[in-house]
Amino acid sequence: MTGYAPAEAARRSGFSLDTLRYYEKIGLLADVGRTAGGQRVFTDDDLSWLVLFRCLRDTGMPIAQMCRYAELAREGEHTVDERRELLKQHAAQVEEQMLLLSRQYEHLREKIRFYERLPGPTPETEQPTATPSGPAVSR
Amino acid sequence: MTGYAPAEAARRSGFSLDTLRYYEKIGLLADVGRTAGGQRVFTDDDLSWLVLFRCLRDTGMPIAQMCRYAELAREGEHTVDERRELLKQHAAQVEEQMLLLSRQYEHLREKIRFYERLPGPTPETEQPTATPSGPAVSR
DNA sequence: CCTTGACCTGGAGCGCACTCCAGGTTGGAG
DNA sequence: CTCCAACCTGGAGTGCGCTCCAGGTCAAGG
């Protein structure tokens, strides 16, 4: 019921005004209300969509796919299966992403440990990944 | 000692040929060897740099920062402190990133659970985030 | 020697997700 | 009623990280 002015919606969603307008322009966020004079009024429903978009965006979903999802949702109840599948597929990709990220994070930590084992600028050779910890070549 | 042809280096590093050339062009990868005729020859050292770049890239470090790191490394041993700090700062950002990612992943899972609780296309209203699970507004 | 596939260069182009701008309108406070 | 900050529109511009291209060169097998 409560309506939010653009600035307030931006503040609450964490998206910029321009991004909100952009999302509407490309049809990601549809049917945003307007005042008589044409200024946008965001509802709680719009806000919860934005929360979802933030979640999907933060997890790396491309905008095109978010559009697809939103479109399906607008099409009605008979698309729930497809929507669920879309989200499940995305979740699987996020899992992969998390795995890769934590693996690479470990490499990074190892490299930092290497730097911490040499207290000050020592003489001698410098290799980038030559933390003596295994074969340098990955895959 | 072993030298790798461009295609082999690409295969081993997982970067495309174009990307390897690009990295050299912008000075990220420096002093790549050449044959008499001008064709690149990658060393194991180059390869280990590429492994590092892959790690940093996969964890979201912008190229400019990788360049900074590489430049420092080329400057010599007196930059180890700065290099360590650079990596530590990045690691901190990666931690944040992982936290955000897993939090948003949880939201995603919750949404999927919501979809799984409704077995087939049910009638009635459809709300995007209206998993009855708390305030919709996240900030 | 000839062929052919891998390689070279400089530079243009691309896809994504915004972000910025000019020039005009709206609407609530005083 | 006046003011001015917040808003509107369409469209151009940006930053990043590649990716592609044309037109030429290299080098190993036959």
Side-chain angles (χ1 to χ4, degrees), chain B residues 18-33:
Chain B
D18 269 318
T19 300
L20 293 183
R21 288 197 270 257
Y22 169 69
Y23 281 179
E24 195 183 342
K25 181 148 57 181
I26 64 173
L28 182 52
L29 199 58
D31 305 317
V32 176

Side-chain angles (χ1 to χ4, degrees), chain A residues 4 11-14 44-45 47-49 51-52 54-56 58-60 69 73 77-81 83-84 87-92 94-95 97-98 100-102 104-105 107-109 111-112 115-116 118-130 136-139, chain B residues 4 11-14 44-45 47-49 51-52 54-56 58-60 69 73 77-81 83-84 87-92 94-95 97-98 100-102 104-105 107-109 111-112 115-116 118-130 136-139:
Chain A
Y4 306 99
R11 205 187 57 72
R12 285 181 184 247
S13 67
D44 280 316
D45 213 72
L47 259 291
S48 62
W49 271 105
V51 168
L52 175 61
R54 174 145 293 279
C55 168
L56 297 178
D58 285 351
T59 52
Y69 179 88
E77 286 305 307
H78 66 284
T79 65
V80 287
D81 286 4
R83 275 181 271 161
R84 183 177 21 75
L87 294 187
K88 283 180 93 166
Q89 263 198 30
H90 178 60
V94 176
E95 280 157 35
Q97 198 188 150
M98 285 165 67
L100 175 63
L101 193 55
S102 61
Q104 296 293 38
Y105 176 71
H107 288 166
L108 183 56
R109 290 251 50 115
K111 185 116 186 104
I112 290 169
Y115 272 118
E116 265 161 358
L118 26 113
T122 49
E124 278 326 298
T125 56
E126 144 72 13
Q127 290 119 310
T129 304
V137 181
S138 69
R139 52 160 337 123
Chain B
Y4 306 100
R11 207 188 53 75
R12 285 181 185 249
S13 67
D44 280 317
D45 213 73
L47 259 292
S48 63
W49 271 106
V51 168
L52 176 60
R54 174 146 292 278
C55 167
L56 296 178
D58 284 352
T59 51
Y69 179 89
E77 285 306 306
H78 65 284
T79 64
V80 286
D81 286 5
R83 275 182 271 160
R84 182 177 23 75
L87 293 187
K88 285 180 90 167
Q89 262 197 28
H90 178 59
V94 176
E95 281 157 34
Q97 199 190 149
M98 285 165 69
L100 175 63
L101 194 55
S102 61
Q104 296 291 40
Y105 175 71
H107 288 165
L108 182 57
R109 290 252 50 115
K111 183 115 186 107
I112 290 169
Y115 272 117
E116 266 161 358
L118 23 113
T122 48
E124 276 328 297
T125 56
E126 143 73 9
Q127 291 120 307
T129 304
V137 181
S138 74
R139 80 150 318 123

